[in-house]
Amino acid sequence: CIAACAQQPGTRMTVTDSEMRECAELVLCREGASVYLDKCQLTEAKEVSCVSVMDDASIIHASNCTMSSAHQSAAYIKDGSSLVAKQCSFIKSKLHGVGVSGINSRAELTECNMSENLDCGVFASGGCSIKLLRCHVTNCVQGG
């Protein structure tokens, strides 16, 4: 199951001061949709990621949120999609804190924490773009 899914152009989902936990995936944004998360706790994505963004023009804006304990990455951005996060934590996941892949995929992270992930705190591949400003990346077990 997916706790929240937004898809198709023009679709906008806003989630404020909420908790999502113990689903296969917690927030999925795709096919050009937009998701706005504020003061949310996303915990225990049992099969995939706490937050997944995919497909051109899909975007998640997150502020003051915690994404933790994902089976894969706390946040995963691919296929030309975007994540813009401020004062968020992407922690304690079995893969990356934030993973970004694919041409035109991007993540802009301001004052974020990517700590205690089993692989990389931040992972980039395949022609993507990542910007970090005043972030903390610590205690990665295997990666960097």
Side-chain angles (χ1 to χ4, degrees):
C1 76
I2 301 170
C5 179
Q7 61 186 30
Q8 297 183 346
T11 301
R12 177 182 171 132
M13 179 185 292
T14 301
V15 183
T16 304
D17 203 14
S18 299
E19 179 179 14
M20 298 179 195
R21 64 183 307 123
E22 297 181 22
C23 292
E25 189 163 30
L26 300 176
V27 176
L28 174 60
C29 178
R30 64 184 178 194
E31 299 173 6
S34 300
V35 175
Y36 297 82
L37 304 171
D38 184 38
K39 299 182 191 102
C40 293
Q41 304 293 316
L42 310 176
T43 308
E44 294 183 59
K46 296 199 173 282
E47 294 178 22
V48 194
S49 300
C50 293
V51 170
S52 297
V53 198
M54 59 184 69
D55 306 320
D56 284 342
S58 299
I59 186 166
I60 289 185
H61 294 268
S63 60
N64 303 297
C65 294
T66 298
M67 293 86 164
S68 67
S69 304
H71 183 71
Q72 293 181 8
S73 298
Y76 192 65
I77 300 92
K78 67 179 188 174
D79 301 332
S81 61
S82 302
L83 170 69
V84 178
K86 185 172 183 180
Q87 296 178 337
C88 291
S89 293
F90 304 90
I91 58 173
K92 299 180 182 175
S93 293
K94 291 185 179 176
L95 195 54
H96 314 302
V98 176
V100 186
S101 68
I103 294 171
N104 297 326
S105 297
R106 68 183 180 95
E108 295 181 13
L109 310 173
T110 304
E111 297 175 357
C112 291
N113 175 22
M114 287 70 69
S115 298
E116 299 179 63
N117 297 290
L118 290 185
D119 201 343
C120 299
V122 179
F123 176 81
S125 71
C128 66
S129 168
I130 297 181
K131 294 180 182 178
L132 304 177
L133 177 63
R134 295 187 301 274
C135 291
H136 300 280
V137 182
T138 59
N139 299 328
C140 301
V141 176
Q142 300 171 7

